[in-house]
Amino acid sequence: MKIESITLHNFRQYIGTQTIEFSTDENKRVTVLVGDNTSGKTTLIRAFEWCLYRKNGFDNPILLNDEVAKQMEESETQDVIVTIILRNREQTDEGFCDVRYKITRAQKYICVKKDYDSTGNITNNISESGQMGSDGQTISSVDPGLVRTVIDGILPEDLSPYFFVTGERLGAITDNADLKSSVRGLMGIDILENSRRHLRKIVNDYNGSLKKSGNVD
């Protein structure tokens, strides 16, 4: 999997539409993002998780940018959108090739009413109106009902914490019991193991039937 870009629209600290492009050069594969604390580095990791798996790791579940929310009038709506473009090496009828995907998740928020806090400042009562669209859409055509299956085929959710790592997660990585099973699932090892067990049972059953039948002259 190679991530080409991520675009965030009004997602937490990222006001308006902001796009970050990542290097896909075979000789320059690393993209370094540098920023002060609270500048949005961890938020970027959360954006990947929300777009791909609808995971919200924030204490405050509202994803809409605070400044945008404060400026909303009653009944006004604003969207939070995250779009990821990535390429994945897959086997097709023509052999192995890169398949390019565009995955988008959006959430609509509505200002229910204006409130005033104890200092007289205006605050907004913001409400979610639900998920917009399907889990994702691809540049290559994919049945909307299979989007989650496609995403899990690229990077299973159980394995994603080892790719999208925040500072507080580093110490817990080696203690996670799901790592082995996630890697096995991603590589297709479980399918091979199940096939081997199934074939072993068939051989054992066949050998058992031969012993019961005995030799016939």
Side-chain angles (χ1 to χ4, degrees):
M1 177 185 71
K2 294 181 180 179
I3 299 173
E4 294 184 6
S5 66
I6 182 170
T7 299
L8 305 96
H9 178 75
N10 289 340
F11 186 91
R12 303 289 290 192
Q13 292 103 311
Y14 294 86
I15 189 169
T17 301
Q18 310 289 335
T19 298
I20 299 174
E21 296 183 351
F22 300 93
S23 174
T24 57
D25 190 311
E26 291 297 329
N27 298 316
K28 300 177 181 179
R29 304 182 181 184
V30 178
T31 300
V32 178
L33 302 178
V34 180
D36 296 331
N37 290 339
T38 72
S39 63
K41 299 187 300 297
T42 298
T43 297
L44 190 64
I45 299 295
R46 303 293 191 199
F48 276 106
E49 296 176 329
W50 182 71
C51 182
L52 294 174
Y53 311 109
R54 205 182 182 184
K55 292 170 61 177
N56 185 340
F58 299 103
D59 293 333
N60 180 358
I62 301 299
L63 299 174
L64 182 64
N65 178 272
D66 284 342
E67 291 301 317
V68 174
K70 290 176 182 178
Q71 295 174 15
M72 292 171 66
E73 300 295 334
E74 289 187 13
S75 301
E76 182 182 352
T77 62
Q78 290 284 355
D79 291 330
V80 171
I81 306 171
V82 175
T83 298
I84 299 170
I85 296 179
L86 57 83
R87 285 183 284 163
N88 192 50
R89 192 73 171 170
E90 300 180 8
Q91 187 171 12
T92 65
D93 294 338
E94 292 76 27
F96 283 95
C97 64
D98 284 343
V99 180
R100 195 162 178 259
Y101 293 96
K102 179 180 180 182
I103 303 167
T104 299
R105 190 182 294 277
Q107 181 73 50
K108 185 181 290 292
Y109 290 87
I110 183 170
C111 178
V112 179
K113 65 177 180 178
K114 290 277 190 178
D115 290 322
Y116 290 84
D117 61 22
S118 58
T119 64
N121 294 321
I122 298 177
T123 61
N124 282 354
N125 184 352
I126 301 296
S127 174
E128 295 182 358
S129 64
Q131 182 81 9
M132 293 180 61
S134 62
D135 283 349
Q137 297 189 10
T138 62
I139 295 175
S140 298
S141 178
V142 170
D143 185 327
L146 298 177
V147 170
R148 183 54 189 267
T149 301
V150 171
I151 291 175
D152 282 341
I154 296 172
L155 181 61
E157 183 174 349
D158 288 342
L159 196 58
S160 64
Y162 303 98
F163 285 78
F164 304 121
V165 183
T166 59
E168 58 269 21
R169 291 181 184 170
L170 287 174
I173 284 181
T174 56
D175 298 328
N176 196 321
D178 293 332
L179 178 58
K180 180 179 178 180
S181 61
S182 297
V183 171
R184 289 170 65 91
L186 181 64
M187 299 182 66
I189 296 176
D190 285 337
I191 297 175
L192 295 175
E193 184 65 27
N194 290 336
S195 299
R196 188 175 70 172
R197 283 198 297 266
H198 183 64
L199 289 173
R200 186 185 297 121
K201 182 178 183 303
I202 292 175
V203 171
N204 290 338
D205 290 345
Y206 178 72
N207 290 336
S209 65
L210 287 179
K211 291 178 182 179
K212 289 180 181 179
S213 61
N215 294 326
V216 177
D217 295 331

